[in-house]
Amino acid sequence: PKTSSGKIARSWCRKGFIAGSLTVVYRKNFASNKASLEIEQGGQPQTASKPVDAQTIRNMSKQELLAKLVSDVARVGSMPPETINKDAALVTMMDSLSISQFKGLFESHYASKISDEYLFRESTTLSKLADVAKLGYAPDDGDSNGQSAGGHPPASTEGKAKGLAGALGCPPGVACAIM
């Protein structure tokens, strides 16, 4: 829920969460490492494309990946696919919430890891994301200056935390809650 000025109404969100009345937009199960993205279209929840194994993604052509990316961005951003420019920065097409939702979809459906900031860069386009999906990582997703981290896949921090958080696949420094 949002206020009349467009801000997130946190107290309404809390009440809706406790009451179980909020619409599910994105759900991730850390135990099974499965995620689903549901978006309402025409009053009916529509499920986004299904996750595909990494080898299938790597074997797809760039054009196939671009078509899949355009479809997913259109679904997440609630926009017609024909209006999406594959060479425009994502930040010019989507708001921050949509980009964050798309990041979760991208990582699970394209078997690729990117930093939280990567999709917010002016240089990140769908054409570039198709290349990232082919590789499974973004070679230019390095430090905060955008410098390459060496061109190698980043070492996964998933599941490195100790205790229950590690068993759930939470990276170190992230608080995981079980409800």
Side-chain angles (χ1 to χ4, degrees), residues 95-110:
D95 61 26
S96 60
L97 181 60
S98 297
I99 290 175
S100 296
Q101 290 171 341
F102 179 71
K103 179 187 184 282
L105 179 143
F106 183 78
E107 288 187 339
S108 67
H109 289 58
Y110 294 84

Side-chain angles (χ1 to χ4, degrees), residues 13-54:
C13 287
R14 182 179 183 276
K15 290 175 187 174
F17 177 76
I18 291 170
S21 63
L22 294 176
T23 303
V24 174
V25 176
Y26 180 78
R27 182 184 317 257
K28 173 136 179 141
N29 182 336
F30 286 96
S32 67
N33 202 23
K34 291 185 180 181
S36 68
L37 179 71
E38 295 180 3
I39 301 165
E40 283 190 28
Q41 279 184 321
Q44 298 295 327
Q46 300 290 319
T47 304
S49 64
K50 302 284 184 218
V52 180
D53 68 274

Side-chain angles (χ1 to χ4, degrees), residues 70-146:
V70 165
S71 173
D72 287 338
V73 166
R75 201 173 294 111
V76 172
S78 300
M79 59 184 110
E82 59 274 5
T83 64
I84 295 174
N85 179 353
K86 65 182 182 339
D87 296 315
L90 281 181
V91 295
T92 63
M93 295 185 275
M94 303 168 78
D95 61 26
S96 60
L97 181 60
S98 297
I99 290 175
S100 296
Q101 290 171 341
F102 179 71
K103 179 187 184 282
L105 179 143
F106 183 78
E107 288 187 339
S108 67
H109 289 58
Y110 294 84
S112 302
K113 294 290 181 190
I114 51 177
S115 70
D116 290 339
E117 299 83 17
Y118 191 76
L119 295 179
F120 290 94
R121 293 182 184 172
E122 291 288 333
S123 62
T124 302
T125 65
L126 290 181
S127 294
K128 191 174 193 178
L129 285 177
D131 294 334
V132 170
K134 288 281 284 178
L135 289 172
Y137 68 97
D140 60 338
D141 189 9
D143 62 23
S144 60
N145 297 324

